[in-house]
Amino acid sequence: MTSHSPHLGILGGGQLAQMLALAALPLGVRVTVLEPDILAPARLCATHLHAPYTDAAGLDALAGCDAVTLEFENVPVEVLTALEGRVPVRPERALLERSKHRAHEKEALQEAGARTAPFVVIETEANLDGALERVGRQGILKTSELGYDGKGQSRVSDAAGLQSAWDELGRVPCVLEGLVQFEREVSLAVARGPDGALAFGPLIENVHRNGILRTSLFLEGDPHEAQAREIAGRVAGAWGLEGLMTLEFFGLPEGELLVNEVAPRVHNSGHLTQDGGGVSQFDAQVRAVLGLPLADWRPLHPCAMVNIIGAEGKTPDWAGIDALPGTRLHLYHKAWRAGRKLGHVNLVTADEQTLRARLSQLETLIP
Amino acid sequence: MTSHSPHLGILGGGQLAQMLALAALPLGVRVTVLEPDILAPARLCATHLHAPYTDAAGLDALAGCDAVTLEFENVPVEVLTALEGRVPVRPERALLERSKHRAHEKEALQEAGARTAPFVVIETEANLDGALERVGRQGILKTSELGYDGKGQSRVSDAAGLQSAWDELGRVPCVLEGLVQFEREVSLAVARGPDGALAFGPLIENVHRNGILRTSLFLEGDPHEAQAREIAGRVAGAWGLEGLMTLEFFGLPEGELLVNEVAPRVHNSGHLTQDGGGVSQFDAQVRAVLGLPLADWRPLHPCAMVNIIGAEGKTPDWAGIDALPGTRLHLYHKAWRAGRKLGHVNLVTADEQTLRARLSQLETLIP
């Protein structure tokens, strides 16, 4: 921290930007977000440039910040071009371009020495030939760009199915991934300062429902943590990360971790770090991007998170959540819509047994 | 918590309002502050009505909130009159009027069964006669209204000194308090919902420097906690508190607590609850004022706070603070001025011994 008041620009103004801003303000950091949605959650705690990402005046304002980061990687490439040389954008352009393109990301992961599921790039009709056999006969066809939360994906198990799945996805560039028999899904975030200093978040176990994260769990002494840190540190170094990125992994039955995908930013699975004690993933991204001192951010307590997702005709039992000891509510001030992430509840307890018992209760309170 | 988005109004927009707003947003609560200072810290995370407290349009806007609270009790009485019957103001008018008047507050404390230091109300020349003898020969003359952080106070030990002190204070209504030989200064906050439900903050030990809070400390198992809770609960009930108030106590050598003064709001001594784990005093005030479920807010760890106060020619060692494990910085985005509270550093550790060692280090980093 320096004695002047640093100014951080953020591309995107959704809930991740909102929580980045809530973490930034106490650090003495002013925040400006560029976001076309007039009801962007971050408008409540940041200066909101209400304009398209490509807006020249908006980009000029971001160029006046001390550094620019993002909460949303699918920004048009001309945005990064427009900022280039004017203000540090962290993570930088090459890393972002890679992480928004599934095939390039997997190639770059393998180059950095991280294992992934087997995959075949599908860009032409000819690529379909023998593709399923090469990934192990069962696979998931995913668009190379713009997929998230299970969208733009289709499971396939024969050639005809692969053909029709690709047709349905509009024959855009895709990746066919081999279906991995995994035991668990885990994630871990890594931050790297402009000086190359590394720091890590905790290992977090994730449970998805309908392709969307439902529950995350942090427990002390996770057996996968050392391996995940080693992979994350290696990739962060190889890719020249400046900022924070989150790796999602498949944990195989024999103990090995495959990287599933990489988000070049804070991640839904890391929200539990807000309330487990100490620094959160949001503080860590702000610090890494502004070149402030970094240290591992690790909850001091067992903790968990359950997402609040809009569900037709159902609402959370708010009173029940409030009455359950150790819960902390985080709402994003977004309009309700089915399937939309509207908030999350963090849960902190003194010990693992209590955490598991209360987490079961909490899950019954959130449809 | 209800499923609609409650709207909280705050009289005042300083750092307490800023931190109330930072706590309110994740609860799904929108915040509007009425504050004449254009550079009010809360402007960064709340809707800022930039107008005098008595501004009719500003008060109309607050009247449209679900409830109004305050971060600053010295608001003109016509403000409370203007809001009366239009929106719940919590704490309510009678409590606020009492707590901004030192003599009335002490009388009301005694009526509620809480002990205070001996005192004599000084409103006329005649009141000076024999006043010192009645409080024990040594005393502090304090203005009944508008004193804070040691301002508007003068120590006196003889009749001539008392006379000249009163003259210097402009012969305004004052209270002469007997000088109490105390062993420690502690504080404790109590919240009470509109339904009468009570919840308590932790017992906190405070060290002042030049009349301004310098350091606060929370340790498990403080021997004064039960007594402080008992007094705070009794006063909150007797005064019909709705909202949160903080009691400052003198701890006498024989173990008894005298109430020094009461702030009808969150208090500088409670800032350490932001980072000790669990709910903070800011969450608690928001919850109490909006009638949301309440529970005791108690840090899960030993923790401490050191204020950052503007000092001529000296700045904190920011890099040293960042490098000390367990510190979390809270800056208020205020212009620097000597003697002004600019921020604070919270410190959290796993055990008391480490806390004391790191707190000594931290104090050397903050002039």
Side-chain angles (χ1 to χ4, degrees):
Chain A
M1 183 55 42
T2 57
S3 55
H4 90 296
S5 174
H7 192 172
L8 178 65
I10 303 180
L11 291 161
Q15 67 262 24
L16 299 181
Q18 184 188 54
M19 293 185 276
L20 284 166
L22 289 172
L25 284 174
L27 294 172
V29 175
R30 287 179 302 136
V31 177
T32 295
V33 305
L34 177 58
E35 162 65 56
D37 180 0
I38 196 166
L39 291 177
R43 79 189 185 284
L44 298 167
C45 48
T47 300
H48 180 195
L49 304 169
H50 173 225
Y53 297 122
T54 49
D55 181 71
L59 291 170
D60 283 350
L62 289 191
C65 293
D66 292 288
V68 172
T69 189
L70 52 108
E71 62 123 32
F72 171 70
E73 54 272 32
N74 289 320
V75 289
V77 66
E78 56 263 44
V79 170
L80 304 174
T81 312
L83 294 174
E84 198 140 51
R86 302 174 71 192
V87 58
V89 178
R90 293 175 178 145
E92 49 90 50
R93 179 181 172 165
L95 194 152
L96 293 176
E97 286 182 359
R98 192 185 294 137
S99 77
K100 62 190 245 199
H101 192 285
R102 217 176 273 278
H104 298 168
E105 179 177 287
K106 286 179 190 293
E107 286 157 0
L109 283 166
Q110 295 193 340
E111 277 165 31
R115 277 197 59 193
T116 69
F119 68 94
V120 173
V121 176
I122 307 289
E123 290 180 343
T124 66
E125 187 83 28
N127 297 141
L128 296 174
D129 254 8
L132 257 182
E133 288 66 32
R134 285 160 59 204
V135 302
R137 300 195 160 273
Q138 298 216 60
I140 304 178
L141 186 68
K142 300 180 178 177
T143 57
S144 262
E145 299 191 68
L146 293 172
Y148 69 99
D149 282 348
K151 294 179 177 65
Q153 304 198 359
S154 189
R155 201 156 148 173
V156 292
S157 53
D158 59 39
L162 175 58
Q163 178 75 56
S164 64
W166 195 47
D167 291 345
E168 269 168 39
L169 292 174
R171 303 170 74 89
V172 295
C174 282
V175 173
L176 177 66
E177 293 179 16
L179 199 67
V180 173
Q181 296 302 325
F182 56 83
E183 287 202 321
R184 63 193 303 226
E185 292 180 274
V186 299
S187 58
L188 185 132
V190 56
R192 188 168 174 272
D195 62 351
L198 284 172
F200 297 91
L203 190 95
I204 293 161
E205 176 159 358
N206 302 306
V207 177
H208 291 79
R209 190 169 71 177
N210 306 326
I212 305 183
L213 182 66
R214 163 73 171 168
T215 301
S216 294
L217 186 68
F218 162 76
L219 300 171
E220 272 295 334
D222 193 291
H224 270 129
E225 183 164 286
Q227 188 185 161
R229 284 171 68 112
E230 195 277 322
I231 297 169
R234 196 186 320 161
V235 175
W239 291 7
L241 172 69
E242 293 180 355
L244 183 145
M245 67 185 190
T246 307
L247 287 77
E248 291 184 76
F249 301 92
F250 296 131
L252 303 187
E254 55 275 27
E256 195 178 14
L257 292 178
L258 302 186
V259 181
N260 175 27
E261 58 184 41
V262 181
R265 50 166 171 78
V266 289
H267 188 261
N268 194 166
S269 63
H271 292 358
L272 53 73
T273 59
Q274 291 173 309
D275 291 314
V279 168
S280 75
Q281 64 169 353
F282 301 100
D283 300 287
Q285 180 166 334
V286 170
R287 286 184 164 273
V289 166
L290 290 172
L292 304 174
L294 281 172
D296 289 353
W297 60 106
R298 159 183 292 286
L300 302 168
H301 295 277
C303 50
M305 181 222 65
V306 180
N307 267 334
I308 298 173
I309 296 165
E312 211 65 65
K314 296 174 186 167
T315 50
D317 176 351
W318 302 111
I321 294 168
D322 272 341
L324 188 66
T327 55
R328 296 201 69 188
L329 193 57
H330 295 263
L331 295 177
Y332 309 148
H333 299 254
K334 286 161 78 172
W336 186 92
R337 200 162 65 211
R340 192 178 208 192
K341 290 177 180 172
L342 301 171
H344 65 276
V345 179
N346 286 336
L347 174 66
V348 186
T349 64
D351 62 83
E352 177 178 338
Q353 198 185 345
T354 310
L355 186 74
R356 291 194 183 275
R358 292 205 185 132
L359 181 56
S360 299
Q361 285 181 265
L362 180 58
E363 287 182 316
T364 66
L365 303 171
I366 302 175
Chain B
M1 184 53 48
T2 57
S3 56
H4 90 297
S5 174
H7 192 171
L8 178 65
I10 304 179
L11 291 162
Q15 66 262 25
L16 299 181
Q18 182 188 58
M19 292 185 277
L20 284 167
L22 289 173
L25 285 174
L27 294 172
V29 175
R30 288 177 303 134
V31 177
T32 296
V33 304
L34 178 59
E35 162 65 57
D37 180 0
I38 195 165
L39 290 178
R43 79 190 187 283
L44 298 167
C45 48
T47 300
H48 179 195
L49 303 170
H50 172 225
Y53 298 121
T54 50
D55 181 70
L59 291 170
D60 283 349
L62 288 190
C65 294
D66 292 288
V68 171
T69 189
L70 53 108
E71 62 121 34
F72 171 70
E73 54 272 33
N74 289 319
V75 289
V77 67
E78 57 265 42
V79 170
L80 303 175
T81 312
L83 294 174
E84 202 140 48
R86 303 174 71 193
V87 59
V89 178
R90 296 180 175 141
E92 50 89 53
R93 182 180 169 164
L95 194 153
L96 293 176
E97 286 181 358
R98 191 186 296 138
S99 77
K100 61 190 245 197
H101 191 285
R102 217 177 274 279
H104 298 171
E105 178 177 287
K106 284 179 191 295
E107 286 156 0
L109 282 165
Q110 294 191 342
E111 278 165 32
R115 279 197 57 192
T116 70
F119 68 94
V120 173
V121 177
I122 307 289
E123 290 180 345
T124 67
E125 187 82 28
N127 297 140
L128 296 173
D129 254 7
L132 257 181
E133 288 66 30
R134 285 160 57 206
V135 303
R137 302 195 159 273
Q138 297 217 60
I140 305 178
L141 186 69
K142 299 179 178 178
T143 57
S144 262
E145 299 191 69
L146 293 172
Y148 69 99
D149 283 350
K151 294 178 177 68
Q153 304 198 358
S154 188
R155 202 157 150 172
V156 291
S157 53
D158 59 41
L162 175 58
Q163 177 75 57
S164 65
W166 195 49
D167 291 344
E168 271 168 38
L169 291 174
R171 302 168 74 89
V172 295
C174 282
V175 173
L176 178 67
E177 293 179 15
L179 199 66
V180 173
Q181 296 302 323
F182 56 86
E183 287 203 320
R184 61 193 305 226
E185 291 179 274
V186 300
S187 58
L188 184 131
V190 56
R192 188 168 173 274
D195 62 352
L198 285 172
F200 298 91
L203 189 96
I204 293 162
E205 175 159 359
N206 301 307
V207 178
H208 292 80
R209 190 169 72 178
N210 305 326
I212 304 183
L213 182 65
R214 162 70 172 169
T215 300
S216 293
L217 186 67
F218 162 76
L219 299 171
E220 271 297 333
D222 193 292
H224 270 129
E225 184 165 283
Q227 187 186 164
R229 284 170 67 113
E230 196 278 321
I231 297 168
R234 195 184 323 160
V235 175
W239 292 7
L241 171 68
E242 293 181 355
L244 184 144
M245 66 185 193
T246 308
L247 286 77
E248 292 183 76
F249 301 93
F250 297 130
L252 303 187
E254 56 275 27
E256 195 178 16
L257 292 178
L258 302 185
V259 181
N260 176 27
E261 58 185 39
V262 181
R265 51 166 170 77
V266 289
H267 189 260
N268 194 164
S269 64
H271 292 357
L272 53 72
T273 60
Q274 293 174 307
D275 291 313
V279 167
S280 75
Q281 66 169 351
F282 301 100
D283 300 287
Q285 181 165 335
V286 171
R287 287 184 163 272
V289 166
L290 290 172
L292 304 175
L294 282 170
D296 289 354
W297 60 105
R298 158 182 291 286
L300 303 168
H301 295 276
C303 50
M305 182 222 62
V306 180
N307 266 335
I308 299 173
I309 296 165
E312 211 64 68
K314 295 174 187 167
T315 50
D317 177 349
W318 302 111
I321 294 168
D322 272 339
L324 188 66
T327 57
R328 297 200 71 186
L329 193 57
H330 295 263
L331 295 176
Y332 310 147
H333 299 254
K334 286 162 78 173
W336 186 92
R337 199 160 67 211
R340 191 179 209 193
K341 290 178 180 172
L342 302 171
H344 64 276
V345 179
N346 286 337
L347 174 66
V348 186
T349 64
D351 62 83
E352 177 177 339
Q353 197 184 350
T354 311
L355 186 76
R356 291 193 183 276
R358 291 204 186 133
L359 180 56
S360 299
Q361 284 181 266
L362 179 59
E363 287 181 313
T364 65
L365 303 172
I366 301 175

